[in-house]
Amino acid sequence: MSTLAALLLAVPVLGWAVHARWLHRRLTTARHDPLTGLWTRDAFTRRARRLLRDPRAVVVLADVDHFKQINDTHGHAAGDVLLATVAARLAHGTGPGGVVGRLGGDEFAAVLLDRDGTAADRLHTLARVLARPVDTTPDVHTTVSLGWVRAADHPGEDLSTLLRRADEAMYAAKRSGRSGPLRAARLGRLLGSVAGRRPGRRGAA
């Protein structure tokens, strides 16, 4: 085979290789939020569902407090820096084996594995870290409300339901002005509370 013929045969192969690399970069970019580098909602969902097969999984919702005020006071560029900082701190706090995603705006979600039963302490520490000023812009800082739920407390519930429970806990923490994360009620405690409100139990010892 002549050199020219070999080159002509190689051109389509080379073209497909270049196209494949370009397509891979596009897909990778589409799976990551361009501002924070975290997984997008769909990419996070796929990975989070796999993690929920582990009974040690904990689902966390995080929402930046007073974010509009940060934008209004310091400008949108400062708000973007704050979001990127929150994302990096969440990713670090989630630890190896976990997954963090930006759901949109100033709301984030994470699934972490509680290997040693210290999830509550870890999340309280994370809340304090998230409240620190941005390193490059000390004037830009705020708290971040956290709500969380342990998947083992609600057996059989899917990611969507667990996220909703964590979301409810997070908004309860935001309304109460708590300085730390709030855990969603355990299924047993919740059922006991409902039973205690049933007719016929009023005045029971």
Side-chain angles (χ1 to χ4, degrees):
M1 181 183 295
S2 69
T3 302
L4 179 59
L7 286 173
L8 290 174
L9 287 173
V11 166
V13 176
L14 180 62
W16 276 111
V18 171
H19 178 72
R21 286 197 297 272
W22 173 83
L23 186 60
H24 176 73
R25 286 197 298 268
R26 289 293 300 273
L27 288 173
T28 301
T29 302
R31 292 173 186 153
H32 288 86
D33 173 59
L35 174 63
T36 65
L38 296 181
W39 296 111
T40 58
R41 179 185 289 267
D42 288 344
F44 164 79
T45 297
R46 287 193 294 272
R47 287 159 179 77
R49 283 173 175 162
R50 289 198 292 268
L51 283 181
L52 286 179
R53 299 170 188 166
D54 192 313
R56 302 168 297 176
V58 170
V59 178
V60 183
L61 251 293
D63 188 83
V64 180
D65 299 323
H66 315 298
F67 184 64
K68 183 179 184 301
Q69 183 177 332
I70 293 292
N71 278 335
D72 291 345
T73 303
H74 300 282
H76 288 277
D80 287 348
V81 171
L82 175 61
L83 290 177
T85 300
V86 168
R89 291 172 178 175
L90 274 173
H92 184 267
T94 299
V99 61
V100 188
R102 184 184 181 195
L103 301 186
D106 58 343
E107 188 173 64
F108 303 86
V111 177
L112 58 90
L113 297 181
D114 187 16
R115 294 182 172 88
D116 52 6
T118 61
D121 292 337
R122 286 172 59 188
L123 291 172
H124 275 279
T125 299
L126 177 60
R128 292 194 294 271
V129 170
L130 291 172
R132 293 174 184 168
V134 174
D135 294 338
T136 57
T137 316
D139 290 340
V140 179
H141 63 93
T142 185
T143 53
V144 176
S145 294
L146 298 173
W148 65 285
V149 58
R150 194 181 297 278
D153 290 343
H154 305 275
E157 293 191 349
D158 62 8
L159 176 64
S160 178
T161 305
L162 292 170
L163 282 171
R164 188 175 70 247
R165 290 185 182 278
D167 186 66
E168 291 169 354
M170 182 267 292
Y171 274 104
K174 189 183 290 285
R175 288 192 300 270
S176 69
R178 287 174 60 106
S179 59
L182 185 62
R183 180 179 180 178
R186 298 182 188 179
L187 188 58
R189 275 194 353 223
L190 183 63
L191 291 176
S193 175
V194 171
R197 293 196 298 268
R198 285 176 183 166
R201 290 184 59 89
R202 184 176 299 172

